[in-house]
Amino acid sequence: AKAGLSVSVTDYHEHAVGAGSDAQAVCYVQVKDAEGGTWHGVGRHPDITLASLRAVASAASRLSRT
């Protein structure tokens, strides 16, 4: 496994799934790695911040599998 991955978020979108107290945030990110490769990730969580972090982690996970 790779450690110390460096990525930059180049695109970000979010929306809600559901309504009221049952709503969840869904975030989509595009990141660029140090070599210029592009990776995508998606995160879902009731808290928008955690959904965003999950999306970045998802993209980083895809990158680390290469």
Side-chain angles (χ1 to χ4, degrees), residues 11-49:
D11 198 15
Y12 175 92
H13 295 279
E14 65 184 51
H15 68 89
V17 174
S21 62
D22 293 330
Q24 294 218 346
V26 178
C27 296
Y28 307 90
V29 297
Q30 175 180 304
V31 302
K32 187 176 282 189
D33 64 23
E35 288 80 37
T38 303
W39 305 88
H40 298 89
V42 179
R44 182 176 177 157
H45 194 275
D47 181 296
I48 188 66
T49 302

